[in-house]
Amino acid sequence: MVAFEAVTKRFGGSGGQPGFTALDGIDFSVPRGAITGIIGRSGAGKSTLIRLVNGLERVSSGRVLVDGVEVGGLSETALRDLRRRVGMIFQHFNLLSSRTAFDNVALPLEIAGLDARAIREKVAPLLDLVGLGDKANSYPSELSGGQKQRVGIARALATSPKLLLSDEATSALDPETTHSILELLKRINAELGLTVLLITHEMEVVKTIATDVAVIDRGRIVEAGRTFDIFTMPRHETTRALLSSSLGVKLPEWVRSGLQPQPLAGGRVMVRLIFFGETAFQPLTARLVSEIGPGVNIMAGTIDEIAGEPFGSLVVSYASDPAVLERAARFYAETGLTTEVLGYVA
């Protein structure tokens, strides 16, 4: 649906100065019908990336294609037509305070030249879709933050887009309202077959809604793939840092500070066990104890859901005696259990 091909975007630069490179050689595709999240730290290039999709910014080099059409090669007229097929919702809603909810949703249809009857036939069902059929005549000042965002979503859908862009759309909302907006976006994606591309710094948002994810750092895509795969086995240090506070288990500082990279005589190894797929529903911890002996301590654990799939994480410790480590390694290989050695303690 959307493809970035060797995309670079620079700002400024004159008199021989190179300026600032916001995006540097981006190669990345957004699957049709998927909900794809772009995550990264502030200033990583997320907003610039999404603004290239609807032509609010132009590439310095490379190509951005939407449904096979190169955005950078469009005339102003063709670009306006593209924007009618690409909806966008914003962090701060961008509603007109002087217009009712109905009139805010109707605005893009008025610009497109539809008559009053066609507008009514389009807007009323959209307000019903987002759960605001009874708020048609309310002004933004009379609506809650979540209701304002629902109006923004309905407005973005008014021109029947095939692609919906979300720029930190839940960042200004409380957790309960965020959840309801995410559920709405998931339902719209499923019912309308809409491709959704969202940027956010909230890992919980991506974990809840996105089927695919890309991690951007200093203008480069450093990791991309299925959300479940990226979240359960992050490979890049930036991804691990972003996920550190939102996924898996956290050990107390006194435990973490005592971990050593090499085995200690008479010490113990600390191992993170990762459960997903078939292993999520098997009594593997009990079998581990049976295999290597009763000296297994459970240090911490959690169970979660990522993109609709179960995921569990358990930290255990046991003797780092070579014979015990060999039995444990054999058990992990036989069961297919994913593990990560966190370190060794006395």
Side-chain angles (χ1 to χ4, degrees), residues 14 36 89 99 115 131 246 249 259 277 289 296-297:
S14 60
T36 299
I89 52 177
R99 296 175 70 103
D115 60 36
S246 64
V249 293
L259 291 175
V289 174
V296 177
N297 288 342

Side-chain angles (χ1 to χ4, degrees), residues 273 283-296 316-319 321-337 339:
L273 312 180
L284 295 180
T285 307
R287 288 178 56 190
L288 174 65
V289 174
S290 175
E291 181 70 26
I292 70 174
V296 177
V316 299
S317 74
Y318 46 83
D321 177 85
V324 174
L325 295 179
E326 183 180 350
R327 291 199 299 272
R330 185 168 58 247
F331 172 77
Y332 299 145
E334 291 173 353
T335 58
L337 190 62
T339 64

